[in-house]
Amino acid sequence: MLGRRILLVVISFAIGYAVTYFIVTVLLDTTVAEFWVGPEQPVNIPYFLLVGFFIALAVGIWLDKFMGTEILPK
């Protein structure tokens, strides 16, 4: 069970950041360096990391059902 859960985390992070990279480079037509931090001052928000994390979280929740890891309660 632990092996499947670790695999779920690895797969979801890989898909999440790959999708984020695709969105940034193809759909937004910019670079990761430009998207990395927003223009807010004095606090710089790491957009690329946050978007990738939340997409990975959504993919992880979706994969939880199909992989049978039972991380979320029924």
Side-chain angles (χ1 to χ4, degrees), residues 12-74:
S12 65
F13 273 124
I15 292 173
Y17 283 106
V19 168
T20 304
Y21 182 78
F22 175 79
I23 289 171
V24 168
T25 56
V26 175
L27 298 180
L28 296 178
D29 196 30
T30 185
T31 64
V32 174
E34 291 176 356
F35 189 73
W36 190 261
V37 217
E40 288 84 20
Q41 295 296 331
V43 179
N44 291 328
I45 300 171
Y47 287 129
F48 188 81
L49 293 178
L50 288 175
V51 171
F53 176 75
F54 287 119
I55 290 175
L57 185 64
V59 169
I61 290 172
W62 180 69
L63 282 177
D64 178 46
K65 176 181 179 179
F66 297 108
M67 290 180 70
T69 55
E70 298 176 3
I71 293 174
L72 297 174
K74 292 186 179 195

